[in-house]
Amino acid sequence: MHDLYVDIAKRLNDLGVRIEECEVAAAAKESKADHSALMLTDRVLSLALQKKNERTVETLRKFSRIPVHKRLEDFDFSFQPTIDEKQIRRLATLGFVHARENILLIGPPGCGKSHLAISFAELCIDQGMRAYYITMSDLAMKLAEAKKAGKLKRVMASLMRPSLLVIDELGYDHLDLEASELIFKLVAARYEQKSIVVTSNFPISRWSEVFGSDALTQVIADRLIHHAEIINIKGKSYRLKDHL
Ligand code: ADP
Ligand code: MG
């Protein structure tokens, strides 16, 4: 019994070992181990796996740069009747991430765009997938700085890794042409490869005010929209809920 325990402890130390590679599990299969040993093996392995998953999720959460915790459970659909709850619940199953499709959330300030976008990112993390949150302004700055420092390739590669990229607040700042070109590069790179969720207080028809060029706006919007669900929210601000 004691040997078994030491064995298990050693194996667990050795992360990345598959259970079927574990001798104890093999012995168990051949019924060489007694019942209590089997129980112990099972409990220890499951606890170790649980801890490992928790650490993975914790790491993914840190990596995601999500600014505030937002869960779909906390979203009050009755407050925002133009949102189709069924559509959101379907999107929450993350089929769109597996299909490498995008979501555009368009609507006035406070209507819940960031909340929903972050909820999708949190759901990805729950499933052990990488998600990354950034505002459009910060993304433009990050890319421009990377280019200046000769690190564009590396930064682009890092922005290709997450299964879901949330680009929040398209429309809050106007970008210069160089930044818009870099945004296009990124959107084109992720096109049909990895998902993007964009939130904007501007309808797509006004995005050229943000990107400063009709041509660039068209190619950016084209790639974002081709495989995307566009969610137009027309409603009051939740922030002003108690003052209305
Ligand atoms: P937007 O990004 O559209 O400007 P947010 O998603 O940031 O708006 O929402 C503003 C605040 O109100 C956030 O704290 C958010 O969690 C909350 N909120 C917005 N809509 C809802 C809702 N329908 N139910 C619950 N909380 C909401
Ligand atoms: Mg927002």
Side-chain angles (χ1 to χ4, degrees), residues 91 96-97 99-105 117 120 124 132 134 136 139 159-160 162-168 170 183-199 207 220 223-225 227-229:
L91 291 169
F96 79 98
V97 177
R100 300 135 188 230
E101 292 171 354
N102 304 328
I103 297 177
L104 272 56
L105 291 153
F120 293 135
C124 281
Y132 189 73
I134 192 162
M136 181 57 98
L139 179 60
L159 289 166
M160 284 303 292
S163 304
L164 182 64
L165 177 66
V166 173
I167 307 178
D168 203 7
L170 187 162
I183 296 293
F184 167 67
K185 242 183 191 247
L186 176 65
V187 167
R190 288 185 68 93
Y191 174 65
E192 296 187 337
Q193 302 286 325
K194 297 279 178 82
S195 296
I196 301 179
V197 172
V198 172
T199 81
W207 282 9
I220 292 170
R223 276 164 183 76
L224 278 177
I225 294 164
H227 309 290
E229 294 206 26

Side-chain angles (χ1 to χ4, degrees), residues 70 74-77 79-80 107-116 168 172 199 238-239:
K70 296 284 174 194
D74 303 323
F75 196 81
D76 177 5
F77 285 94
F79 184 80
Q80 217 56 271
C111 69
K113 303 181 297 297
S114 299
H115 188 130
L116 290 174
D168 203 7
Y172 280 41
T199 81
Y238 195 86
R239 293 191 188 99

